[in-house]
mmCIF file with all atom_site columns, all heavy atoms in Angstrom:
data_model
loop_
_atom_site.group_PDB
_atom_site.id
_atom_site.type_symbol
_atom_site.label_atom_id
_atom_site.label_alt_id
_atom_site.label_comp_id
_atom_site.label_asym_id
_atom_site.label_entity_id
_atom_site.label_seq_id
_atom_site.pdbx_PDB_ins_code
_atom_site.Cartn_x
_atom_site.Cartn_y
_atom_site.Cartn_z
_atom_site.occupancy
_atom_site.B_iso_or_equiv
_atom_site.pdbx_formal_charge
_atom_site.auth_seq_id
_atom_site.auth_comp_id
_atom_site.auth_asym_id
_atom_site.auth_atom_id
_atom_site.pdbx_PDB_model_num
ATOM 1  N N   . ILE A 1 235 ? 44.984 71.469 15.734 1.00 0.00 ? 240 ILE A N   1
ATOM 2  C CA  . ILE A 1 235 ? 44.219 71.254 16.961 1.00 0.00 ? 240 ILE A CA  1
ATOM 3  C C   . ILE A 1 235 ? 43.577 72.551 17.441 1.00 0.00 ? 240 ILE A C   1
ATOM 4  O O   . ILE A 1 235 ? 42.433 72.572 17.912 1.00 0.00 ? 240 ILE A O   1
ATOM 5  C CB  . ILE A 1 235 ? 45.137 70.661 18.051 1.00 0.00 ? 240 ILE A CB  1
ATOM 6  C CG1 . ILE A 1 235 ? 45.459 69.199 17.731 1.00 0.00 ? 240 ILE A CG1 1
ATOM 7  C CG2 . ILE A 1 235 ? 44.508 70.773 19.437 1.00 0.00 ? 240 ILE A CG2 1
ATOM 8  C CD1 . ILE A 1 235 ? 46.511 68.594 18.645 1.00 0.00 ? 240 ILE A CD1 1
ATOM 9  N N   . LEU A 1 236 ? 44.291 73.651 17.300 1.00 0.00 ? 241 LEU A N   1
ATOM 10 C CA  . LEU A 1 236 ? 43.800 74.942 17.787 1.00 0.00 ? 241 LEU A CA  1
ATOM 11 C C   . LEU A 1 236 ? 42.640 75.489 16.967 1.00 0.00 ? 241 LEU A C   1
ATOM 12 O O   . LEU A 1 236 ? 42.019 76.482 17.361 1.00 0.00 ? 241 LEU A O   1
ATOM 13 C CB  . LEU A 1 236 ? 44.938 75.958 17.823 1.00 0.00 ? 241 LEU A CB  1
ATOM 14 C CG  . LEU A 1 236 ? 46.061 75.660 18.822 1.00 0.00 ? 241 LEU A CG  1
ATOM 15 C CD1 . LEU A 1 236 ? 47.175 76.689 18.700 1.00 0.00 ? 241 LEU A CD1 1
ATOM 16 C CD2 . LEU A 1 236 ? 45.525 75.612 20.250 1.00 0.00 ? 241 LEU A CD2 1
ATOM 17 N N   . THR A 1 237 ? 42.328 74.870 15.844 1.00 0.00 ? 242 THR A N   1
ATOM 18 C CA  . THR A 1 237 ? 41.169 75.306 15.054 1.00 0.00 ? 242 THR A CA  1
ATOM 19 C C   . THR A 1 237 ? 39.875 74.631 15.508 1.00 0.00 ? 242 THR A C   1
ATOM 20 O O   . THR A 1 237 ? 38.795 75.019 15.071 1.00 0.00 ? 242 THR A O   1
ATOM 21 C CB  . THR A 1 237 ? 41.375 75.009 13.555 1.00 0.00 ? 242 THR A CB  1
ATOM 22 O OG1 . THR A 1 237 ? 41.347 73.584 13.342 1.00 0.00 ? 242 THR A OG1 1
ATOM 23 C CG2 . THR A 1 237 ? 42.692 75.567 13.055 1.00 0.00 ? 242 THR A CG2 1
ATOM 24 N N   . GLY A 1 238 ? 39.973 73.620 16.372 1.00 0.00 ? 243 GLY A N   1
ATOM 25 C CA  . GLY A 1 238 ? 38.796 72.871 16.797 1.00 0.00 ? 243 GLY A CA  1
ATOM 26 C C   . GLY A 1 238 ? 37.914 73.658 17.747 1.00 0.00 ? 243 GLY A C   1
ATOM 27 O O   . GLY A 1 238 ? 38.353 74.609 18.409 1.00 0.00 ? 243 GLY A O   1
ATOM 28 N N   . THR A 1 239 ? 36.654 73.232 17.861 1.00 0.00 ? 244 THR A N   1
ATOM 29 C CA  . THR A 1 239 ? 35.721 73.924 18.763 1.00 0.00 ? 244 THR A CA  1
ATOM 30 C C   . THR A 1 239 ? 36.144 73.793 20.217 1.00 0.00 ? 244 THR A C   1
ATOM 31 O O   . THR A 1 239 ? 35.796 74.632 21.051 1.00 0.00 ? 244 THR A O   1
ATOM 32 C CB  . THR A 1 239 ? 34.293 73.375 18.594 1.00 0.00 ? 244 THR A CB  1
ATOM 33 O OG1 . THR A 1 239 ? 34.298 71.948 18.769 1.00 0.00 ? 244 THR A OG1 1
ATOM 34 C CG2 . THR A 1 239 ? 33.746 73.694 17.212 1.00 0.00 ? 244 THR A CG2 1
ATOM 35 N N   . TRP A 1 240 ? 36.908 72.739 20.567 1.00 0.00 ? 245 TRP A N   1
ATOM 36 C CA  . TRP A 1 240 ? 37.397 72.577 21.941 1.00 0.00 ? 245 TRP A CA  1
ATOM 37 C C   . TRP A 1 240 ? 38.405 73.650 22.312 1.00 0.00 ? 245 TRP A C   1
ATOM 38 O O   . TRP A 1 240 ? 38.734 73.818 23.476 1.00 0.00 ? 245 TRP A O   1
ATOM 39 C CB  . TRP A 1 240 ? 38.037 71.200 22.096 1.00 0.00 ? 245 TRP A CB  1
ATOM 40 C CG  . TRP A 1 240 ? 38.932 70.847 20.951 1.00 0.00 ? 245 TRP A CG  1
ATOM 41 C CD1 . TRP A 1 240 ? 40.196 71.314 20.704 1.00 0.00 ? 245 TRP A CD1 1
ATOM 42 C CD2 . TRP A 1 240 ? 38.605 69.987 19.863 1.00 0.00 ? 245 TRP A CD2 1
ATOM 43 N NE1 . TRP A 1 240 ? 40.683 70.807 19.532 1.00 0.00 ? 245 TRP A NE1 1
ATOM 44 C CE2 . TRP A 1 240 ? 39.728 69.974 18.988 1.00 0.00 ? 245 TRP A CE2 1
ATOM 45 C CE3 . TRP A 1 240 ? 37.488 69.223 19.539 1.00 0.00 ? 245 TRP A CE3 1
ATOM 46 C CZ2 . TRP A 1 240 ? 39.753 69.229 17.816 1.00 0.00 ? 245 TRP A CZ2 1
ATOM 47 C CZ3 . TRP A 1 240 ? 37.517 68.481 18.364 1.00 0.00 ? 245 TRP A CZ3 1
ATOM 48 C CH2 . TRP A 1 240 ? 38.640 68.486 17.521 1.00 0.00 ? 245 TRP A CH2 1
ATOM 49 N N   . SER A 1 241 ? 38.899 74.401 21.309 1.00 0.00 ? 246 SER A N   1
ATOM 50 C CA  . SER A 1 241 ? 39.846 75.487 21.569 1.00 0.00 ? 246 SER A CA  1
ATOM 51 C C   . SER A 1 241 ? 39.172 76.855 21.515 1.00 0.00 ? 246 SER A C   1
ATOM 52 O O   . SER A 1 241 ? 39.865 77.882 21.539 1.00 0.00 ? 246 SER A O   1
ATOM 53 C CB  . SER A 1 241 ? 40.990 75.442 20.535 1.00 0.00 ? 246 SER A CB  1
ATOM 54 O OG  . SER A 1 241 ? 41.711 74.228 20.617 1.00 0.00 ? 246 SER A OG  1
ATOM 55 N N   . ALA A 1 242 ? 37.859 76.890 21.461 1.00 0.00 ? 247 ALA A N   1
ATOM 56 C CA  . ALA A 1 242 ? 37.140 78.161 21.398 1.00 0.00 ? 247 ALA A CA  1
ATOM 57 C C   . ALA A 1 242 ? 37.266 78.914 22.720 1.00 0.00 ? 247 ALA A C   1
ATOM 58 O O   . ALA A 1 242 ? 37.471 78.322 23.784 1.00 0.00 ? 247 ALA A O   1
ATOM 59 C CB  . ALA A 1 242 ? 35.673 77.917 21.064 1.00 0.00 ? 247 ALA A CB  1
ATOM 60 N N   . VAL A 1 243 ? 37.148 80.221 22.644 1.00 0.00 ? 248 VAL A N   1
ATOM 61 C CA  . VAL A 1 243 ? 37.368 81.087 23.808 1.00 0.00 ? 248 VAL A CA  1
ATOM 62 C C   . VAL A 1 243 ? 36.036 81.518 24.407 1.00 0.00 ? 248 VAL A C   1
ATOM 63 O O   . VAL A 1 243 ? 35.114 81.918 23.684 1.00 0.00 ? 248 VAL A O   1
ATOM 64 C CB  . VAL A 1 243 ? 38.194 82.316 23.407 1.00 0.00 ? 248 VAL A CB  1
ATOM 65 C CG1 . VAL A 1 243 ? 38.375 83.263 24.596 1.00 0.00 ? 248 VAL A CG1 1
ATOM 66 C CG2 . VAL A 1 243 ? 39.558 81.873 22.869 1.00 0.00 ? 248 VAL A CG2 1
ATOM 67 N N   . VAL A 1 244 ? 35.957 81.431 25.736 1.00 0.00 ? 249 VAL A N   1
ATOM 68 C CA  . VAL A 1 244 ? 34.763 81.881 26.463 1.00 0.00 ? 249 VAL A CA  1
ATOM 69 C C   . VAL A 1 244 ? 35.147 83.028 27.389 1.00 0.00 ? 249 VAL A C   1
ATOM 70 O O   . VAL A 1 244 ? 36.325 83.261 27.670 1.00 0.00 ? 249 VAL A O   1
ATOM 71 C CB  . VAL A 1 244 ? 34.140 80.727 27.283 1.00 0.00 ? 249 VAL A CB  1
ATOM 72 C CG1 . VAL A 1 244 ? 33.703 79.596 26.372 1.00 0.00 ? 249 VAL A CG1 1
ATOM 73 C CG2 . VAL A 1 244 ? 35.127 80.207 28.332 1.00 0.00 ? 249 VAL A CG2 1
ATOM 74 N N   . SER A 1 245 ? 34.153 83.747 27.877 1.00 0.00 ? 250 SER A N   1
ATOM 75 C CA  . SER A 1 245 ? 34.373 84.863 28.781 1.00 0.00 ? 250 SER A CA  1
ATOM 76 C C   . SER A 1 245 ? 34.522 84.359 30.211 1.00 0.00 ? 250 SER A C   1
ATOM 77 O O   . SER A 1 245 ? 33.593 83.746 30.755 1.00 0.00 ? 250 SER A O   1
ATOM 78 C CB  . SER A 1 245 ? 33.202 85.847 28.690 1.00 0.00 ? 250 SER A CB  1
ATOM 79 O OG  . SER A 1 245 ? 33.218 86.748 29.782 1.00 0.00 ? 250 SER A OG  1
ATOM 80 N N   . LYS A 1 246 ? 35.646 84.641 30.840 1.00 0.00 ? 251 LYS A N   1
ATOM 81 C CA  . LYS A 1 246 ? 35.857 84.238 32.228 1.00 0.00 ? 251 LYS A CA  1
ATOM 82 C C   . LYS A 1 246 ? 34.816 84.887 33.134 1.00 0.00 ? 251 LYS A C   1
ATOM 83 O O   . LYS A 1 246 ? 34.248 84.224 34.014 1.00 0.00 ? 251 LYS A O   1
ATOM 84 C CB  . LYS A 1 246 ? 37.266 84.621 32.670 1.00 0.00 ? 251 LYS A CB  1
ATOM 85 C CG  . LYS A 1 246 ? 37.550 84.309 34.130 1.00 0.00 ? 251 LYS A CG  1
ATOM 86 C CD  . LYS A 1 246 ? 38.928 84.802 34.551 1.00 0.00 ? 251 LYS A CD  1
ATOM 87 C CE  . LYS A 1 246 ? 39.151 84.565 36.049 1.00 0.00 ? 251 LYS A CE  1
ATOM 88 N NZ  . LYS A 1 246 ? 40.456 85.103 36.506 1.00 0.00 ? 251 LYS A NZ  1
#
Side-chain angles (χ1 to χ4, degrees):
I240 287 172
L241 294 176
T242 69
T244 54
W245 44 76
S246 299
V248 177
V249 299
S250 165
K251 177 184 176 183

